[in-house]
Amino acid sequence: MDYQIVINSKSGEGIFQNAGQQDRLRQVFTGSGHRADLSVVEPDKLEATLKEKAGSAGDVLIVGGGDGTITTAARLLHGTGKTLGVLPLGTFNLEARDLKLPLDPFEAAKKLIEAETIPIDLLKVNGNYCMCATVIGFYPALAKARVNFHGRSWWVKSLRIIREIATVAVASPALDLTINAEGRSYHRRTRLTAFSPGGYQESVGLIPVRKDLSSGKLTAYVSEHLSRGQMLQAAFVSSRATCSTRKR
């Protein structure tokens, strides 16, 4: 196989800016008899590099970075027939978790060599593609603080995001939401709504996990928690789906 690997140089605490770590990653592929073309690029050159690789003759494009980097790659690869592989190097690595990949990038690379190629759903929102979820409500303000989470241990990240939810959520205005699906209208007042390709497992914790990556369904999760205490509760317990419809 001909693997092309593109890594965001700032992801994973910059681990792959080190030439020795680059050689170690190449060895995972070449040691198994494959070809590996590795590019470690700055964030401002990332999309152009991904676009170039998407049009190349390689069999598989493996992308190392956070969920934003992975989503950009998925958008560029959509419709090309090329396979996308994920190296988890972000803060939360939602897509890698959904794909049940090891969070260590070298172990993930080994898993990718052995992995079966499967189709997965993409959510299209205003011309952009989403692999995990698109969120309306207070989340954009919360996401701006994620840069401060990089380089911290997992328990510190968890405490930080809980604190941010407590302070940001109740300061953001509640929204009047209407969802039209299959001839019915759903009206809700909400501070947070997520739309996901596929549904999530009922679980406790900050990181949700999708249960089906190729269901062909769009699921809407609408939080009706409006107070500070309710929002903190919602941070730990998955909300139930308000509606689930076939994607158009």
Side-chain angles (χ1 to χ4, degrees), residues 91-94 97 154 158 161 200 203-209 235:
T91 303
F92 295 112
N93 299 305
L94 299 179
R97 292 174 188 272
W154 174 243
S158 299
I161 196 169
Y200 282 92
S203 61
V204 176
L206 289 173
I207 306 298
V209 178

Side-chain angles (χ1 to χ4, degrees), residues 97-158:
R97 292 174 188 272
D98 287 344
L99 292 168
K100 296 180 172 54
L101 286 170
L103 296 184
D104 177 272
F106 299 101
E107 293 302 316
K110 295 176 184 177
K111 185 73 175 288
L112 288 173
I113 292 174
E114 304 170 352
E116 176 187 1
T117 299
I118 60 170
I120 63 173
D121 293 330
L122 284 175
L123 173 60
K124 190 175 183 179
V125 183
N126 294 334
N128 294 311
Y129 289 96
C130 170
M131 297 187 73
C132 300
T134 187
V135 184
I136 60 174
F138 73 85
Y139 182 77
L142 178 66
K144 292 179 181 178
R146 289 197 306 176
V147 65
N148 297 322
F149 301 161
H150 288 284
R152 298 175 182 271
S153 63
W154 174 243
W155 68 270
V156 172
K157 292 178 185 178
S158 299

Side-chain angles (χ1 to χ4, degrees), residues 7-18:
I7 294 178
N8 184 336
S9 65
K10 302 300 183 184
S11 297
E13 301 179 44
I15 178 176
F16 287 107
Q17 295 182 33
N18 182 287

Side-chain angles (χ1 to χ4, degrees), residues 60-105:
V60 179
L61 176 59
I62 295 178
V63 180
D67 291 308
T69 300
I70 304 304
T71 299
T72 298
R75 171 172 58 83
L76 294 172
L77 287 182
H78 180 61
T80 66
K82 191 184 293 291
T83 299
L84 172 64
V86 175
L87 284 183
L89 293 171
T91 303
F92 295 112
N93 299 305
L94 299 179
E95 189 63 31
R97 292 174 188 272
D98 287 344
L99 292 168
K100 296 180 172 54
L101 286 170
L103 296 184
D104 177 272

